[in-house]
Amino acid sequence: MSYKIEPLPNSYAHLGEGPHWDIETQSLYYVDIEAGKILRYDYQEDKVYHSKIQDVELASFIVPVEGQSDKFVVGDGRRVLVVTWDGVSPTSKVDRVLFEVQQDEQYIVNRFNDGKADPRGRLFAGTMRYVGDEFKDRWGELYKYEKGGKVSVVKTDVGISNGLAWNEKTNKFYYIDTTDYEVKEYDYDFDAGVPSKHVLVLI
């Protein structure tokens, strides 16, 4: 099997991150972190739409809200926001702050770096130090947000939280801490939304 790799049209981002493929709309959502922008590649149109979020400096991930075509959760610094965007307009706006983490003064230089929703709709998002040495100061944490507003810490002692994925067929959860140079594989309880035994490390 062979693959062809080619750039998306008009897809430039200074620091492109957090891709999310939406099956229903056949769209790829992603962010330009340092520009505070969210982007959408429309597969049918073969076109990328860019949007600057009003009053947001950093946009670290984007995940659509189920059942609401113009609502998204977006990471901004140590906050997670609910953002309204029609997927086309060059500007979008913040509806509200969903939650904020690490509010102590020590963590003022931390920010969210990546976030994804598990197959049951729980949001997992992790932080990192973005000013200074994130390899030395492992101030990041991985969080879980559940319907009803419950926020819990899943993992501490994180350098750069990154790369989350789930496999329902094998009951596995995959997670990357970039500073460890590893892909970590966990057993995952989909009913409870809990990663348990760390069973394998893929180098």
Side-chain angles (χ1 to χ4, degrees), residues 32-174:
D32 187 344
I33 293 182
E34 295 178 349
K37 289 184 177 181
I38 51 180
L39 302 93
R40 180 180 72 90
Y41 169 65
D42 189 305
Y43 179 76
Q44 302 296 336
E45 296 181 10
D46 193 30
K47 181 178 181 179
V48 174
Y49 293 92
H50 303 241
S51 179
K52 176 70 176 75
I53 308 173
Q54 294 177 353
D55 303 318
V56 166
E57 293 184 4
L58 298 169
S60 52
F61 65 84
I62 178 172
V63 179
V65 176
E66 185 178 18
Q68 302 184 58
S69 60
D70 63 344
K71 303 292 183 185
F72 304 86
V73 289
V74 176
D76 169 39
R78 297 182 310 282
R79 307 183 301 169
V80 173
L81 311 173
V82 177
V83 172
T84 295
W85 183 39
D86 62 9
V88 176
S89 301
T91 58
S92 45
K93 67 176 184 177
V94 176
D95 285 353
R96 61 190 173 96
V97 177
L98 190 63
F99 66 92
E100 184 173 357
V101 300
Q102 296 183 315
Q103 299 182 50
D104 295 345
E105 186 175 344
Q106 172 186 353
Y107 301 114
I108 196 170
V109 295
N110 277 21
R111 67 164 174 82
F112 276 106
N113 187 61
D114 201 0
K116 293 285 188 294
D118 80 356
R120 306 293 172 84
R122 306 174 186 96
L123 177 68
F124 283 71
T127 55
M128 60 170 285
R129 179 173 182 171
Y130 78 98
V131 176
D133 189 348
E134 62 271 13
F135 284 81
K136 174 178 176 289
D137 297 316
R138 297 172 60 90
W139 291 350
E141 294 180 326
L142 177 64
Y143 297 89
K144 177 176 65 174
Y145 175 89
E146 300 182 77
K147 188 175 182 179
K150 181 182 178 182
V151 180
S152 56
V153 177
V154 177
K155 191 177 189 313
T156 60
D157 188 35
V158 174
I160 302 175
S161 196
N162 226 331
L164 304 100
W166 291 262
N167 187 328
E168 286 190 277
K169 292 182 178 179
T170 59
N171 293 316
K172 301 298 183 184
F173 166 60
Y174 297 91

Side-chain angles (χ1 to χ4, degrees), residues 19-36:
H20 175 94
W21 176 253
D22 185 71
I23 297 175
E24 292 185 4
T25 64
Q26 293 290 286
S27 295
L28 177 71
Y29 292 94
Y30 60 106
V31 298
D32 187 344
I33 293 182
E34 295 178 349

